[in-house]
Amino acid sequence: MNEIMKKKDIKSLNLIELTEEMKKIGEKSFRAKQIYDWIHVKLADSFSEMNNLPKPLRETLEENYTLVYLKKEAEQISKTDGTRKYLFELYDGNVVESVWMKYHHGNSVCISSQVGCRMGCKFCASTLDGLERSLEPSEMLDQIYRIQKLTGERVSNIVVMGTGEPLDNYENLLKFLELISNEDGLHISQRNITVSTCGIVPNMKKLADEALQITLALSLHATTDEKRKLLMPIANRYSLTELIDACQYYFHKTGRRITFEYALVGGVNDTDQDANELITLIRQVNCHVNLIPVNPIAERDYVESDRSHILNFKNKLEKNKINVTIRREMGRDIDGACGQLRRRHRKE
Ligand code: SAH
């Protein structure tokens, strides 16, 4: 294992844990608050800049803890909409990608939750090389901290929709959500955070029981178990009935409307029949549907639905009083789809 990760990862600790650490090394508890503020509000990159701490304490911190820091490896800026895509290097040489998007309601960051992914969805580039490892809470946080520092602009929305399956990294995801929404840190409202899952049913229910205010997005993409199995291997483990039940459970526990993501693949799931089946499937759920024109990846031969099919699909849902939007396709000129930038980087 890399030298630095033998030390304790201080950025993954909450204030209570940090206070415990200070007690252990014989420091007053108010130091914990100061350090927490340096890490999570001032976004310090080193212990040496924590200039209201006595020098000996800074040295003790240096010896015993690591301050996780992602290194910017590459940046692409979209000429069409200003979207920025970042490739960050982790302490062990692995790389992850994050995306910064500017909307009228604020800046949104899409973060990765794992290095690679083992879910195997057929249209997704992130999963082509399998799962390397899960990210620590600090590594999820620092994607946001780093981007806020690089752009000089406040991040107000977070979507956990980059590479990886967040509910396959459950404990670290939960810790990340606690740290990012905590009032002693960046204090990003849970209502402005969306976690997207391919549908790991037991963990969706577990998340519901945490009673957070985040939005849960479910990658649905098909309206029958047979068709979903062709696109998403996870469908072999959980049926659509179980999935919809888990969504209902999430809504009843949290009061938060579910988002269904539906990637439209030309000739595969974009017909009138698909739309009708979708309506029947989700009619009872308090939800919002996000239609995503599939972003074709070179390794697979899926094609985008044509515009008329997309609009027709949307109209059908609307006529049945289902909330629906077509996802704005941002950053297509810069390898916008999950995992594309990282893959290209690895090949080079
Ligand atoms: N593992 C999680 C989150 C990461 S993927 C999940 O499955 O939800 C984020 C979203 O992008 C998912 O809805 C996923 O199905 C979708 N996606 C992946 N590859 C895509 C592609 N090539 N075109 C369109 N959407 C894609």
Side-chain angles (χ1 to χ4, degrees), residues 227-278:
K227 210 174 250 188
R228 197 161 187 267
K229 282 177 194 170
L230 295 176
L231 295 171
M232 306 174 75
I234 190 75
N236 293 302
R237 298 230 321 259
Y238 308 107
S239 68
L240 282 171
T241 310
E242 291 172 289
L243 267 184
I244 299 298
D245 280 354
C247 290
Q248 294 284 29
Y249 185 75
Y250 190 87
F251 176 74
H252 290 306
K253 283 279 170 170
T254 63
R256 302 288 294 161
R257 194 170 78 161
I258 299 290
T259 295
F260 288 115
E261 292 162 279
Y262 193 95
L264 289 159
V265 187
V268 173
N269 62 2
D270 64 345
T271 62
D272 273 357
Q273 191 187 337
D274 291 303
N276 288 331
E277 285 170 0
L278 181 60

Side-chain angles (χ1 to χ4, degrees), residues 21-160:
E21 290 294 318
M22 289 304 107
K23 269 193 208 147
K24 267 195 243 161
I25 59 170
E27 287 289 337
K28 295 247 166 52
S29 59
F30 78 94
R31 294 292 182 203
K33 184 79 172 69
Q34 284 180 316
I35 297 167
Y36 196 90
D37 193 66
W38 274 110
I39 298 176
H40 301 281
V41 178
K42 298 195 184 88
L43 310 185
D45 294 326
S46 66
F47 294 115
S48 58
E49 64 194 271
M50 303 183 179
N51 58 21
N52 58 354
L53 304 182
K55 196 148 180 275
L57 174 55
R58 280 184 264 159
E59 284 165 3
T60 309
L61 292 175
E62 195 75 57
E63 277 160 32
N64 296 289
Y65 303 93
T66 175
L67 195 55
V68 163
Y69 173 99
L70 305 192
K71 201 170 124 248
K72 186 181 93 178
E73 185 64 33
E75 176 179 14
Q76 295 182 331
I77 304 179
S78 162
K79 288 187 188 68
T80 52
D81 55 33
T83 295
R84 296 175 187 217
K85 187 142 191 174
Y86 293 96
L87 195 68
F88 291 120
E89 187 180 310
L90 310 173
Y91 74 88
D92 59 2
N94 274 308
V95 292
V96 291
E97 47 188 272
S98 324
V99 186
W100 180 82
M101 291 157 287
K102 217 174 162 67
Y103 291 101
H104 55 269
H105 60 264
N107 299 319
S108 184
V109 169
C110 173
I111 66 161
S112 294
S113 56
Q114 295 181 314
V115 182
C117 182
R118 55 177 178 159
M119 295 297 129
C121 299
K122 294 290 188 286
F123 44 82
C124 179
S126 292
T127 202
L128 291 166
D129 298 315
L131 176 68
E132 187 66 37
R133 70 171 174 87
S134 281
L135 295 185
E136 298 297 325
S138 56
E139 294 172 321
M140 290 186 251
L141 282 175
D142 209 54
Q143 294 173 57
I144 295 153
Y145 294 0
R146 199 65 30 215
I147 287 179
Q148 188 156 301
K149 289 188 92 169
L150 285 165
T151 59
E153 290 190 38
R154 197 186 134 76
V155 171
S156 55
N157 291 67
I158 297 168
V159 293
V160 188

Side-chain angles (χ1 to χ4, degrees), residues 2-18:
N2 188 298
E3 196 56 32
I4 25 176
M5 276 321 244
K6 281 189 203 145
K7 299 182 189 176
K8 216 169 215 161
D9 171 9
I10 200 168
K11 202 174 262 184
S12 290
L13 304 178
N14 64 25
L15 191 52
I16 296 167
E17 291 162 339
L18 194 53

